[in-house]
Amino acid sequence: MSNEKIKHKNLHSLSMLCITAVLLFLNIMLFSTVLTGCGAGKTKGTESDGASGSSDRTGRFVESKMVLPEEIGSVIKMKQLSDQTIEVVGRDKDYSLWVAKSSDSGTTWAASQLTDIATYDIVTIADDGTIAVIDYAENGSCPVTVVEPDGSAHSFSVELSGTDGVVYAAALDTEKNLVMTDTADATYIINTEDGSKKGTLDIEDETFISFLDIIGTDCIAVTREGVYLFDSITGKEKDELTAISELIQADDSLLYQHTDSGQPMVFARGEGADSIVFACYKGIYHYTIGGSVTEELVPGAQAALGNSGSIFYGISMQDETHFLVAGSNGMEAAVYSYVYDSDAAASPDQELNIYALEDTDTLRQAVSIFRQQEPDIYVNLEVGMTDGSGVTLEDALKTLSTDILAGNGPDVLILDGMPVDSYIGKGILADISDVVEDVDSSDGLIASIVKGSTEDGKIYAIPTRFLVSILTGDEKTTVAANSLKTLADRIVALAKEQSTPYVVQEKIAEGMLQDLYLADSPNWVNEDNSLDETKISDFLAQTKRIYDVDDHSNAESYQNYSESGVLNGYRYGSFDSLDLFTGTCSVEFGTIADVADYQTMLSAVSEDGASYSSLSFDGHTAYVPFLQAGVVAGGNEEAGKAFVKTLLGKEAGEGSNGIPVNEAALKVQLQTLMDPTETALSFSRDGSDKVYTIYYRSLTNEEVDEILAQLESVDEPALVDRTVQNLVVEQGSKYLKGELSLEQAVNAIMQKMNLYLAE
């Protein structure tokens, strides 16, 4: 687990079955009314992601994001107290903890700061509003601070089972007992009045508890073997929650996807003593203890937290028609309200189908915004290459092409990794220049990217986000970054006077090729849109010169290559600022995926004395299109254009991953870099005990203006057809490692390229 105080950025669904006749008549009437709007009547084993098409049925849950006090920039825990008050613990921009309470289901809030708490690992809330803050364990001792509802606090330490133990999960029960489990698979029931140990959970030795939650005195422990119910006072096992066990065992992400204070699933009391409601990325569910089925209330596909990387901080059932869920979809941590609207169409009249090769948090966030803007449009997001599916890029693109030709394709394409020029040439994409002009007139768009997306006065596809390639080093090196050859010359010269363990930041062959490909590939395109064989050959030759200055055996043994740069829904850049800061290398280059990365880089540069520049090879400053969007001609073009407008707009852009093309959103992001900050990034290298710390600083107006000018100066998109990129990286890596000659590598690339382009 990582420290949220110092961290800047880290890196089954059971379908609904009808309620059985054993329920009381009133409960039958109530739940059947609620569930009718959420796909009631589906049988076990079907995909319960909502309905589409026209329907006369009405009634479904409608999602909205709640407005929290401005002090709480990010939620980390939520609980409905015994008096029905909603209590939220969150942090402000300086990572200080705040608590907010609402007695009217989130309409109004009262916030206060939790003082004298500098760091934390896990935060949990009891039914009376008591908060326990579990700090990071050191030498087998775990500090705990208990904050009472009146604000008074006291602290104690819990001695863990081993000196290397770390608390992995913790929760408070209604009696304010703290149930904890550590990485040594030990469990503890702690008296929070004095910190004494009252007992343990009656669970088999070495059973790994991934996470736990408590409802009253019912402790729900999620393990690899199943989901079990314990008494939090006695520690005795009461039951196995069989249906929830089946759900989790069918999807590993529901077992392991969690981080500080967050879990892949959260639980709360339902309408009765044996009733449980729970939320995960697959949706909001109801379960009766002892039952064999779960009932889906809100499908995950129709929720802001519906991506597999989402983590959850709490759920509350206000009543059978109103739920609150706190969680993070990777882009923001917030509280969402789900209110049953009996007049809303159970199956919206319109359907909008969106297709992307890979799932990303930013795309999910835009879908959530669009759903709130257009509640009468059912949005179906299809991802071609999901984790563990085994679907290859070639398979996904072939299936997509077949569907489009058959008239069964999507309405919106997220074109990252796809052959965009081919789709335009075949007339697959509609002109969206009216959408671009509309957003440009209201918010402003980066002019060079709009220009680069325009063909014969029309726009068929436009990146809504982008990445840029930069380099840091001494001034002579940054000046040399105006061509790949001059950069290689400079790096070879540095190698002769090497003063650091590595000249260039450690990279595997594939990673180095990809970084330089993204900066240089715009220079390979001839006027007839063919690729210049000579320039590809020169690219490989110069890249090998850079690769050969260092021994890459260490990096090749542990680093991984990601062709898309997407991990758990987040688009990462390859530039991290850390090796130069520690003196491990003299030159770093790669892609920056967020404007916040500039703050990391410039804060490090302030301390290590380096300078930075764009990788602007041969007169072109390339950008890497991200979330490039197009509307399929002949589909639901009106709704498709409306979604592209949302994706390109200011609201979706402000809090997104990737540098927004929307200038109003970009300026908001840049403005935050000038805000006062006490954030720091601490890290170690190569397993060493030495800890380095980069202290973030507020950027100056001049620095922000320089960043904006640099971002607005990009002029050519990198070749992001992933089939082309993969060919170059695959064959190029064999050349860099000495497995092929330069001529063999170039011939292999061109032969396969010609076959691909001829298809």
Side-chain angles (χ1 to χ4, degrees):
M1 290 181 286
S2 57
N3 190 333
E4 289 284 336
K5 171 71 177 175
I6 63 175
K7 180 178 68 174
H8 183 67
K9 180 176 64 180
N10 270 347
L11 319 156
H12 286 84
S13 159
L14 290 181
S15 301
M16 188 183 63
L17 300 177
C18 294
I19 300 176
T20 60
V22 297
L23 293 175
L24 294 176
F25 177 75
L26 289 177
N27 281 342
I28 293 176
M29 294 300 293
L30 178 58
F31 261 92
S32 62
T33 300
V34 171
L35 296 178
T36 295
C38 302
K42 292 193 174 184
T43 58
K44 186 175 181 179
T46 62
E47 183 64 30
S48 190
D49 59 358
S52 62
S54 179
S55 173
D56 294 331
R57 292 188 301 116
T58 59
R60 60 187 169 91
F61 283 93
V62 177
E63 177 189 81
S64 61
K65 188 170 73 173
M66 304 196 70
V67 178
L68 297 172
E70 61 180 9
E71 295 89 351
I72 295 184
S74 185
V75 176
I76 58 176
K77 204 67 181 177
M78 182 188 76
K79 180 88 170 183
Q80 179 175 313
L81 308 185
S82 54
D83 64 358
Q84 306 306 303
T85 296
I86 301 298
E87 181 164 308
V88 169
V89 176
R91 58 173 182 255
D92 61 19
K93 62 185 178 182
D94 293 322
Y95 292 88
S96 297
L97 291 178
W98 288 74
V99 59
K101 296 184 179 183
S102 174
S103 59
D104 52 13
S105 297
T107 302
T108 59
W109 298 86
S112 59
Q113 188 172 4
L114 294 177
T115 58
D116 302 325
I117 298 176
T119 61
Y120 65 91
D121 182 8
I122 298 171
V123 175
T124 182
I125 306 172
D127 287 354
D128 69 344
T130 297
I131 298 169
V133 181
I134 296 92
D135 209 339
Y136 291 87
E138 291 186 10
N139 300 317
S141 180
C142 178
V144 178
T145 299
V146 177
V147 182
E148 302 290 346
D150 63 3
S152 62
H154 66 278
S155 300
F156 55 84
S157 291
V158 177
E159 298 303 315
L160 305 181
S161 57
T163 57
D164 296 328
V166 174
V167 174
Y168 204 72
L172 284 167
D173 70 7
T174 193
E175 302 296 325
K176 298 198 288 191
N177 296 304
L178 180 63
V179 180
M180 304 166 57
T181 181
D182 66 19
T183 49
D185 299 328
T187 62
Y188 315 87
I189 301 175
I190 306 297
N191 183 336
T192 55
E193 292 184 0
D194 57 14
S196 62
K197 295 178 181 178
K198 299 175 63 175
T200 63
L201 296 184
D202 187 14
I203 194 168
E204 293 184 10
D205 292 342
E206 300 183 358
T207 297
F208 171 73
I209 297 178
S210 180
F211 59 94
L212 55 83
D213 212 339
I214 296 180
I215 307 171
T217 58
D218 287 338
C219 178
I220 301 171
V222 180
T223 76
R224 298 185 187 98
E225 292 75 24
V227 181
Y228 300 97
L229 194 65
F230 293 87
D231 187 306
S232 62
I233 298 176
T234 66
K236 300 297 183 182
E237 182 181 341
K238 298 173 64 175
D239 207 342
E240 178 180 359
L241 309 183
T242 308
I244 305 179
S245 295
E246 292 174 355
L247 191 153
I248 289 178
Q249 289 168 347
D251 188 341
D252 278 351
S253 65
L254 294 176
L255 183 63
Y256 298 113
Q257 181 68 36
H258 61 104
T259 182
D260 296 352
S261 297
Q263 303 176 169
M265 185 178 290
V266 285
F267 303 84
R269 185 69 68 203
E271 78 283 4
D274 292 331
S275 174
I276 293 175
V277 292
F278 64 92
C280 62
Y281 85 92
K282 290 183 174 296
I284 302 175
Y285 295 83
H286 171 265
Y287 175 71
T288 300
I289 296 174
S292 60
V293 298
T294 59
E295 295 111 18
E296 182 187 75
L297 305 180
V298 180
Q302 295 297 297
L305 301 170
N307 60 312
S308 60
S310 292
I311 54 175
F312 293 79
Y313 306 121
I315 180 174
S316 161
M317 188 176 101
Q318 304 295 283
D319 57 48
E320 292 90 339
T321 64
H322 188 191
F323 295 88
L324 302 178
V325 177
S328 170
N329 58 10
M331 298 311 308
E332 61 178 345
V335 178
Y336 296 90
S337 173
Y338 299 88
V339 177
Y340 187 76
D341 185 346
S342 60
D343 295 325
S347 301
D349 293 333
Q350 287 194 67
E351 179 175 355
L352 178 67
N353 295 303
I354 303 169
Y355 181 94
L357 285 174
E358 291 191 285
D359 201 357
T360 59
D361 298 333
T362 297
L363 178 58
R364 290 277 182 177
Q365 182 187 41
V367 169
S368 175
I369 293 171
F370 183 75
R371 282 175 177 147
Q372 293 176 39
Q373 294 172 340
E374 304 287 348
D376 292 328
I377 298 178
Y378 172 78
V379 182
N380 175 45
L381 174 59
E382 180 182 356
V383 177
M385 301 168 63
T386 56
D387 292 340
S389 68
V391 176
T392 66
L393 174 65
E394 183 181 11
D395 292 339
L397 291 176
K398 283 184 176 179
T399 300
L400 175 62
S401 295
T402 300
D403 289 342
I404 291 175
L405 289 173
N408 299 319
D411 304 301
V412 174
L413 284 174
I414 302 302
L415 293 154
D416 299 0
M418 298 184 190
V420 181
D421 290 337
S422 175
Y423 289 172
I424 294 173
K426 293 176 180 178
I428 290 174
L429 301 177
D431 180 17
I432 57 172
S433 55
D434 54 337
V435 174
V436 176
E437 290 168 4
D438 193 7
V439 179
D440 195 15
S441 64
S442 61
D443 300 336
L445 298 173
I446 293 179
S448 57
I449 292 182
V450 174
K451 181 180 178 181
S453 302
T454 304
E455 184 173 321
D456 298 327
K458 297 181 178 181
I459 297 174
Y460 298 98
I462 187 166
T464 61
R465 313 291 185 276
F466 66 107
L467 289 75
V468 292
S469 301
I470 69 166
L471 173 144
T472 57
D474 62 19
E475 189 173 351
K476 287 184 178 180
T477 305
T478 56
V479 169
N482 61 4
S483 79
L484 185 54
K485 183 181 183 305
T486 56
L487 178 60
D489 290 343
R490 174 58 184 162
I491 288 173
V492 170
L494 282 171
K496 295 177 180 178
E497 52 188 55
Q498 186 169 344
S499 58
T500 53
Y502 296 90
V503 179
V504 180
Q505 174 190 6
E506 281 192 278
K507 293 178 184 288
I508 61 176
E510 291 86 352
M512 181 174 289
L513 283 160
Q514 179 172 263
D515 282 342
L516 296 175
Y517 168 94
L518 294 173
D520 195 50
S521 59
N523 298 308
W524 306 353
V525 183
N526 296 317
E527 290 185 3
D528 61 357
N529 286 327
S530 63
L531 298 184
D532 191 316
E533 181 176 344
T534 301
K535 291 182 178 178
I536 293 175
S537 177
D538 187 60
F539 165 77
L540 293 180
Q542 301 303 332
T543 302
K544 184 167 175 58
R545 291 179 66 204
I546 296 173
Y547 183 80
D548 284 348
V549 301
D550 289 311
D551 177 4
H552 298 270
S553 56
N554 183 50
E556 297 285 0
S557 69
Y558 75 89
Q559 289 187 8
N560 296 316
Y561 167 67
S562 170
E563 64 185 49
S564 67
V566 174
L567 178 64
N568 293 330
Y570 199 91
R571 179 60 164 98
Y572 287 92
S574 58
F575 185 89
D576 68 5
S577 305
L578 305 185
D579 283 341
L580 195 69
F581 181 81
T582 61
T584 306
C585 69
S586 300
V587 181
E588 286 185 313
F589 55 78
T591 52
I592 275 187
D594 294 294
V595 297
D597 293 339
Y598 278 98
Q599 187 167 38
T600 309
M601 184 262 293
L602 288 171
S603 297
V605 160
S606 298
E607 298 185 48
D608 61 30
S611 59
Y612 83 99
S613 69
S614 300
L615 287 180
S616 300
F617 291 162
D618 300 330
H620 290 304
T621 303
Y623 61 90
V624 183
F626 174 42
L627 293 184
Q628 188 170 19
V631 174
V632 177
N636 190 349
E637 292 186 27
E638 183 179 356
K641 288 184 176 183
F643 176 73
V644 173
K645 184 177 180 180
T646 296
L647 186 59
L648 193 58
K650 181 175 182 287
E651 182 181 359
E654 281 186 16
S656 68
N657 169 217
I659 301 168
V661 175
N662 186 297
E663 285 204 315
L666 175 58
K667 289 175 181 178
V668 168
Q669 290 190 356
L670 289 170
Q671 181 66 39
T672 64
L673 303 185
M674 295 188 289
D675 292 341
T677 179
E678 297 179 1
T679 306
L681 172 65
S682 295
F683 59 96
S684 59
R685 274 292 188 252
D686 299 326
S688 169
D689 291 336
K690 184 175 181 179
V691 176
Y692 300 89
T693 301
I694 296 175
Y695 294 96
Y696 287 79
R697 64 175 178 83
S698 303
L699 302 191
T700 65
N701 278 302
E702 292 77 13
E703 288 172 325
V704 168
D705 288 344
E706 183 179 345
I707 293 169
L708 181 59
Q710 182 192 70
L711 295 176
E712 290 179 331
S713 71
V714 298
D715 60 355
E716 289 289 340
L719 301 181
V720 289
D721 182 335
R722 202 176 300 163
T723 302
V724 175
Q725 174 186 302
N726 290 350
L727 282 174
V728 174
V729 171
E730 178 187 12
Q731 300 303 317
S733 64
K734 294 177 182 177
Y735 166 57
L736 264 59
K737 296 174 184 177
E739 299 170 8
L740 293 177
S741 67
L742 177 59
E743 182 180 4
Q744 288 172 325
V746 173
N747 286 340
I749 291 170
M750 298 309 297
Q751 288 175 8
K752 293 183 178 182
M753 193 90 69
N754 290 334
L755 287 172
Y756 168 66
L757 296 176
E759 291 178 352

